[in-house]
Coordinates of all heavy atoms in Angstrom, one line a residue:
W158 N 73.0 118.5 146.1 CA 73.3 118.7 144.7 C 74.4 117.8 144.2 O 74.5 117.4 143.1 CB 73.7 120.2 144.4 CG 72.5 121.0 144.6 CD1 72.2 121.9 145.6 CD2 71.4 121.1 143.7 NE1 70.9 122.4 145.5 CE2 70.4 121.9 144.3 CE3 71.1 120.4 142.5 CZ2 69.2 122.2 143.7 CZ3 69.9 120.7 141.9 CH2 68.9 121.6 142.5
D159 N 75.3 117.3 145.2 CA 76.2 116.2 144.8 C 75.5 114.9 144.6 O 75.9 114.1 143.8 CB 77.2 116.0 146.0 CG 78.3 117.1 146.0 OD1 78.5 117.7 144.9 OD2 78.9 117.4 147.0
M160 N 74.3 114.8 145.3 CA 73.6 113.5 145.2 C 73.0 113.3 143.8 O 72.5 112.2 143.5 CB 72.4 113.5 146.2 CG 72.9 113.4 147.6 SD 71.5 113.4 148.8 CE 72.4 113.1 150.4
T161 N 72.9 114.3 142.9 CA 72.3 114.2 141.6 C 73.2 113.6 140.6 O 72.8 113.4 139.4 CB 71.8 115.6 141.1 OG1 73.0 116.4 140.9 CG2 70.9 116.2 142.1
K162 N 74.5 113.3 140.9 CA 75.4 112.8 140.0 C 76.5 112.0 140.7 O 76.8 112.3 141.9 CB 76.0 113.9 139.1 CG 76.8 114.9 140.0 CD 77.5 116.0 139.1 CE 78.3 116.9 140.0 NZ 79.1 117.8 139.2
P163 N 77.2 111.0 140.0 CA 78.3 110.3 140.6 C 79.5 111.2 140.7 O 79.6 112.3 140.0 CB 78.5 109.2 139.7 CG 78.0 109.6 138.4 CD 76.8 110.5 138.7
A164 N 80.5 110.8 141.6 CA 81.7 111.7 141.8 C 82.5 111.8 140.5 O 83.2 112.8 140.3 CB 82.5 111.1 142.9
T165 N 82.4 110.8 139.6 CA 83.2 110.8 138.4 C 82.7 111.8 137.3 O 83.4 112.1 136.4 CB 83.3 109.4 137.8 OG1 82.0 108.9 137.6 CG2 84.1 108.5 138.7
S166 N 81.5 112.3 137.5 CA 80.8 113.1 136.5 C 81.4 114.6 136.6 O 81.5 115.1 137.7 CB 79.3 113.1 136.7 OG 78.7 114.0 135.8
L167 N 81.6 115.2 135.5 CA 82.1 116.6 135.4 C 80.9 117.5 135.0 O 81.1 118.7 134.9 CB 83.2 116.7 134.4 CG 84.5 115.9 134.7 CD1 85.5 116.1 133.6 CD2 85.1 116.3 136.0
D168 N 79.7 116.9 134.8 CA 78.6 117.7 134.5 C 78.1 118.5 135.7 O 78.3 118.1 136.8 CB 77.4 116.8 134.0 CG 77.8 116.0 132.7 OD1 78.6 116.6 132.0 OD2 77.3 114.9 132.5
P169 N 77.4 119.7 135.4 CA 76.8 120.4 136.5 C 75.7 119.6 137.2 O 75.2 118.7 136.6 CB 76.4 121.7 135.8 CG 76.1 121.3 134.4 CD 77.2 120.3 134.1
P170 N 75.3 120.0 138.4 CA 74.2 119.3 139.0 C 72.9 119.4 138.2 O 72.6 120.4 137.5 CB 74.0 120.0 140.3 CG 75.3 120.7 140.6 CD 75.9 121.0 139.2
D171 N 72.2 118.3 138.2 CA 70.9 118.2 137.4 C 69.8 118.9 138.2 O 69.4 118.4 139.3 CB 70.6 116.8 137.1 CG 69.4 116.6 136.2 OD1 68.4 117.2 136.4 OD2 69.5 115.8 135.2
Q172 N 69.2 120.0 137.7 CA 68.2 120.7 138.5 C 67.0 119.9 138.7 O 66.3 119.9 139.7 CB 67.9 122.1 137.8 CG 69.1 123.0 137.9 CD 68.6 124.5 137.6 OE1 67.4 124.8 137.6 NE2 69.6 125.3 137.4
D173 N 66.5 119.2 137.7 CA 65.3 118.4 137.8 C 65.5 117.3 138.8 O 64.6 117.0 139.6 CB 64.9 117.8 136.4 CG 64.5 118.9 135.4 OD1 64.0 119.9 135.9 OD2 64.6 118.7 134.2
Q174 N 66.7 116.6 138.8 CA 66.9 115.6 139.8 C 67.0 116.2 141.2 O 66.5 115.6 142.1 CB 68.2 114.9 139.4 CG 68.2 114.0 138.2 CD 67.3 112.8 138.3 OE1 67.1 112.3 139.4 NE2 66.6 112.5 137.2
G175 N 67.6 117.4 141.3 CA 67.7 118.0 142.6 C 66.3 118.4 143.1 O 66.0 118.2 144.3
K176 N 65.4 118.9 142.2 CA 64.1 119.2 142.6 C 63.3 118.0 143.1 O 62.6 118.0 144.1 CB 63.3 119.9 141.5 CG 61.9 120.3 141.9 CD 61.2 120.9 140.7 CE 59.7 121.3 141.2 NZ 59.0 120.1 141.6
A177 N 63.5 116.8 142.5 CA 62.9 115.6 142.9 C 63.3 115.2 144.3 O 62.5 114.7 145.1 CB 63.2 114.5 141.9
R178 N 64.6 115.4 144.6 CA 65.0 115.2 146.0 C 64.5 116.2 147.0 O 64.1 115.8 148.1 CB 66.6 115.1 146.0 CG 67.1 113.9 145.3 CD 68.5 114.1 144.8 NE 69.0 112.9 144.1 CZ 68.6 112.5 142.9 NH1 67.7 113.1 142.2 NH2 69.2 111.4 142.3
M179 N 64.4 117.4 146.6 CA 63.8 118.4 147.4 C 62.3 118.1 147.7 O 61.9 118.3 148.8 CB 63.9 119.8 146.7 CG 65.2 120.4 146.7 SD 65.2 122.1 146.0 CE 66.9 122.7 146.4
D180 N 61.6 117.6 146.7 CA 60.2 117.2 146.9 C 60.1 116.2 148.0 O 59.1 116.2 148.8 CB 59.6 116.7 145.6 CG 59.4 117.8 144.6 OD1 59.4 119.0 145.0 OD2 59.2 117.5 143.4
E181 N 61.0 115.3 148.1 CA 61.0 114.3 149.2 C 61.1 114.9 150.6 O 60.5 114.6 151.5 CB 62.1 113.2 149.0 CG 61.8 112.3 147.8 CD 60.5 111.5 147.9 OE1 60.0 111.3 149.0 OE2 60.0 111.1 146.8
V182 N 62.0 115.9 150.6 CA 62.2 116.6 151.9 C 60.9 117.4 152.3 O 60.5 117.4 153.4 CB 63.4 117.6 151.8 CG1 63.6 118.4 153.1 CG2 64.7 116.9 151.4
L183 N 60.3 118.0 151.3 CA 59.1 118.8 151.5 C 57.9 117.8 152.0 O 57.2 118.2 152.9 CB 58.6 119.5 150.3 CG 59.7 120.5 149.7 CD1 59.0 121.3 148.6 CD2 60.2 121.4 150.7
K184 N 57.8 116.7 151.3 CA 56.8 115.7 151.8 C 57.0 115.3 153.2 O 56.0 115.2 154.0 CB 56.8 114.5 150.8 CG 56.4 114.7 149.4 CD 56.6 113.5 148.6 CE 56.2 113.7 147.1 NZ 56.5 112.5 146.3
H185 N 58.2 115.1 153.6 CA 58.6 114.7 154.9 C 58.1 115.8 155.9 O 57.5 115.5 156.9 CB 60.1 114.4 155.0 CG 60.6 114.2 156.4 ND1 60.4 113.0 157.1 CD2 61.2 115.1 157.3 CE1 60.9 113.1 158.3 NE2 61.4 114.4 158.5
C186 N 58.5 117.0 155.7 CA 58.2 118.1 156.6 C 56.7 118.4 156.6 O 56.2 118.7 157.7 CB 59.0 119.4 156.1 SG 60.8 119.3 156.3
T187 N 56.1 118.4 155.5 CA 54.6 118.6 155.5 C 53.8 117.6 156.2 O 52.9 117.9 156.9 CB 54.1 118.7 154.0 OG1 54.9 119.7 153.3 CG2 52.7 119.2 154.0
A188 N 54.3 116.3 156.1 CA 53.6 115.2 156.8 C 53.7 115.3 158.3 O 52.7 115.1 159.0 CB 54.1 113.9 156.3
L189 N 54.9 115.7 158.8 CA 55.1 115.8 160.2 C 54.6 117.1 160.8 O 54.3 117.1 162.0 CB 56.6 115.5 160.5 CG 57.0 114.1 160.2 CD1 58.5 113.9 160.5 CD2 56.2 113.0 160.9
R190 N 54.7 118.2 160.0 CA 54.2 119.5 160.4 C 54.8 120.2 161.6 O 54.4 121.2 162.1 CB 52.7 119.4 160.7 CG 51.8 118.9 159.5 CD 50.4 119.0 159.7 NE 50.0 120.4 159.7 CZ 49.7 121.1 158.5 NH1 49.9 120.5 157.4 NH2 49.4 122.4 158.6
N191 N 55.9 119.6 162.1 CA 56.6 120.3 163.2 C 58.1 120.7 162.8 O 58.9 121.0 163.6 CB 56.7 119.4 164.4 CG 57.6 118.2 164.2 OD1 57.8 117.7 163.1 ND2 58.1 117.6 165.3
R192 N 58.4 120.6 161.5 CA 59.7 120.9 161.0 C 59.7 121.6 159.7 O 58.7 121.4 158.9 CB 60.6 119.7 161.0 CG 60.0 118.5 160.1 CD 60.6 117.2 160.4 NE 60.4 116.7 161.8 CZ 60.8 115.6 162.3 NH1 61.5 114.8 161.5 NH2 60.5 115.2 163.5
L193 N 60.7 122.4 159.4 CA 60.7 123.1 158.1 C 62.0 122.7 157.4 O 63.0 122.4 158.0 CB 60.8 124.6 158.3 CG 59.4 125.3 158.4 CD1 58.7 125.0 159.7 CD2 59.5 126.9 158.2
A194 N 61.9 122.8 156.1 CA 63.1 122.5 155.2 C 63.9 123.7 154.9 O 63.3 124.8 154.6 CB 62.6 121.9 153.9
I195 N 65.2 123.6 155.1 CA 66.1 124.7 154.7 C 66.8 124.2 153.4 O 67.7 123.4 153.5 CB 67.1 125.0 155.8 CG1 66.4 125.2 157.2 CG2 68.0 126.2 155.5 CD1 67.4 125.4 158.3
L196 N 66.4 124.8 152.3 CA 66.9 124.4 151.0 C 67.9 125.3 150.4 O 67.9 126.5 150.7 CB 65.7 124.2 150.1 CG 64.6 123.3 150.5 CD1 63.5 123.2 149.4 CD2 65.1 121.9 150.8
D197 N 68.7 124.8 149.6 CA 69.7 125.6 148.9 C 69.6 125.5 147.4 O 69.4 124.3 146.9 CB 71.1 125.1 149.2 CG 71.3 125.0 150.7 OD1 71.4 126.0 151.4 OD2 71.4 123.8 151.2
P198 N 69.6 126.5 146.6 CA 69.6 126.4 145.1 C 70.9 125.8 144.6 O 71.8 125.6 145.4 CB 69.5 127.9 144.7 CG 70.1 128.7 145.8 CD 69.9 127.9 147.0
P199 N 70.9 125.4 143.4 CA 72.2 124.9 142.8 C 73.3 125.9 142.9 O 73.1 127.1 143.0 CB 71.8 124.6 141.4 CG 70.3 124.5 141.3 CD 69.9 125.4 142.4
P200 N 74.6 125.4 142.9 CA 75.7 126.4 142.9 C 75.8 127.1 141.6 O 75.3 126.7 140.6 CB 76.9 125.5 143.2 CG 76.5 124.2 142.6 CD 75.0 124.0 142.8
D201 N 76.6 128.2 141.7 CA 76.9 129.0 140.5 C 75.8 129.6 139.7 O 75.8 129.7 138.5 CB 77.8 128.1 139.5 CG 79.0 127.5 140.2 OD1 79.6 128.2 141.0 OD2 79.3 126.3 140.0
L202 N 74.7 130.0 140.4 CA 73.6 130.6 139.8 C 73.7 132.1 140.0 O 73.9 132.6 141.1 CB 72.2 130.2 140.4 CG 71.8 128.7 140.2 CD1 70.4 128.5 140.7 CD2 71.9 128.3 138.8
D203 N 73.4 132.9 138.9 CA 73.3 134.3 139.0 C 71.9 134.6 139.5 O 71.0 133.7 139.5 CB 73.6 135.0 137.7 CG 72.7 134.6 136.5 OD1 71.5 134.4 136.8 OD2 73.1 134.5 135.4
P204 N 71.6 135.9 139.9 CA 70.3 136.2 140.5 C 69.1 135.8 139.5 O 68.1 135.3 140.0 CB 70.4 137.7 140.7 CG 71.8 138.0 140.9 CD 72.5 137.0 140.0
G205 N 69.3 136.0 138.2 CA 68.2 135.7 137.3 C 67.9 134.2 137.3 O 66.8 133.8 137.3
K206 N 69.0 133.4 137.3 CA 68.8 131.9 137.3 C 68.2 131.5 138.6 O 67.5 130.5 138.6 CB 70.2 131.3 137.0 CG 70.7 131.5 135.6 CD 69.9 130.9 134.5 CE 70.5 131.1 133.1 NZ 69.7 130.5 132.1
A207 N 68.6 132.1 139.7 CA 68.1 131.8 141.0 C 66.6 132.0 141.0 O 65.8 131.2 141.6 CB 68.8 132.6 142.1
Q208 N 66.1 133.1 140.4 CA 64.7 133.3 140.3 C 64.0 132.2 139.5 O 62.9 131.8 139.9 CB 64.4 134.7 139.7 CG 64.7 135.9 140.5 CD 64.3 137.2 139.8 OE1 63.1 137.3 139.5 NE2 65.2 138.1 139.7
E209 N 64.6 131.9 138.4 CA 64.0 130.8 137.6 C 63.9 129.5 138.4 O 62.9 128.8 138.3 CB 64.8 130.6 136.3 CG 64.8 131.7 135.3 CD 65.6 131.4 134.1 OE1 66.0 130.2 133.9 OE2 65.9 132.3 133.4
F210 N 64.9 129.2 139.1 CA 64.9 127.9 139.9 C 63.8 128.0 141.0 O 63.1 127.0 141.3 CB 66.3 127.7 140.5 CG 66.3 126.5 141.4 CD1 66.3 125.2 140.9 CD2 66.2 126.6 142.8 CE1 66.3 124.1 141.7 CE2 66.2 125.5 143.6 CZ 66.2 124.2 143.1
A211 N 63.7 129.2 141.7 CA 62.7 129.3 142.7 C 61.3 129.1 142.1 O 60.4 128.5 142.8 CB 62.8 130.7 143.4

Side-chain angles (χ1 to χ4, degrees):
W158 292 105
D159 284 337
M160 291 177 176
T161 64
K162 60 177 185 174
T165 54
S166 174
L167 299 179
D168 296 331
D171 189 312
Q172 291 195 15
D173 291 335
Q174 292 292 326
K176 181 182 178 301
R178 287 153 182 76
M179 286 183 170
D180 288 343
E181 292 299 335
V182 179
L183 303 188
K184 291 176 185 176
H185 171 81
C186 294
T187 305
L189 295 179
R190 302 191 71 81
N191 70 334
R192 56 196 64 178
L193 272 73
I195 306 177
L196 302 181
D197 311 289
D201 304 319
L202 293 189
D203 61 35
K206 295 293 185 181
Q208 287 188 55
E209 290 181 16
F210 177 77

